[in-house]
Amino acid sequence: MRALAPSLFLASIALAWPASATVRSADASSFIVAGSYETKADAATAFAALAEPKRWWSSQHSWSGDANNLSLEARAGGCWCERWKDGEAEHARVIFVAKDKQMRVAGAFGPMQAMALNAVLDVQLVPTATGTRIDMTYTVNGSPASNLDKLAPAVDGVLAEQFGRLQSLLDNGSPSAP
């Protein structure tokens, strides 16, 4: 994300994608956000798209303001990075990959990056009779002073938007709203 103050970050979710993620639990020191997204695409196609966040991540939720600056190396130790003329950011580090089945990254996204948190985003691709179900779980932990229960709804909204965009890309060829 560009340098948004936490209050502006929270306010930005009012315009977020219709949420299909949910806050499973939240307290001052942790939260878990999860969501499931059905797509007509097969798991291999869904995995390939997942590994190209520049195709589906919203530019509004990038540091540079341009999602084309995002890249993701789908291998253990790979970087989910953003590079632009005057800066760069590591959003997350890949910690697990099972091609066409699952990817797990460690990283606190957006303004949470400066909060010294432990955060893991786990994405599983489950074949269905009509395509693939994308199951996303984001688990974040920190000190009680982090007041993560206050951030959980905003993160829920942002991730619901992003994974809704991935679903739309897979089903409609465009990450915009259907």
Side-chain angles (χ1 to χ4, degrees):
M1 292 210 96
R2 281 189 267 180
L4 287 180
S7 60
L8 183 55
F9 175 70
L10 290 169
S12 73
I13 65 158
L15 301 174
W17 204 271
S20 56
T22 59
V23 177
R24 280 195 190 161
S25 65
D27 60 39
S29 63
S30 67
F31 67 80
I32 298 172
V33 172
S36 289
Y37 305 83
E38 296 280 339
T39 177
K40 297 177 275 187
D42 62 36
T45 302
F47 186 87
L50 175 66
E52 291 189 84
K54 69 181 179 182
R55 294 182 59 208
W56 53 274
W57 197 266
S58 169
S59 291
Q60 291 179 315
H61 295 287
S62 68
W63 292 106
S64 67
D66 185 352
N68 287 311
N69 294 323
L70 295 170
S71 63
L72 174 56
E73 300 168 83
R75 60 171 183 78
C79 185
W80 183 333
C81 288
E82 181 176 358
R83 292 180 176 87
W84 64 101
K85 180 182 176 199
D86 296 323
E88 56 187 72
E90 178 181 288
H91 294 286
R93 178 77 40 197
V94 178
I95 58 174
F96 180 85
V97 175
K99 190 173 187 294
D100 302 339
K101 296 178 183 174
Q102 185 175 8
M103 187 182 310
R104 188 176 302 133
V105 300
F109 291 101
M112 293 187 302
Q113 187 181 56
M115 297 174 67
L117 303 174
N118 182 22
V120 174
L121 174 65
D122 185 56
V123 182
Q124 295 187 26
L125 305 173
V126 180
T128 66
T130 57
T132 303
R133 187 180 74 240
I134 302 167
D135 292 333
M136 172 276 300
T137 305
Y138 192 44
T139 304
V140 180
N141 294 290
S143 78
S146 300
N147 293 317
L148 292 175
D149 51 336
K150 306 276 191 282
L151 289 178
V155 174
D156 169 56
V158 170
L159 288 177
E161 175 188 358
Q162 303 324 303
F163 281 87
R165 290 172 58 85
L166 174 60
Q167 177 186 31
S168 180
L169 173 69
L170 290 165
D171 289 344
N172 305 313
S174 170
S176 60

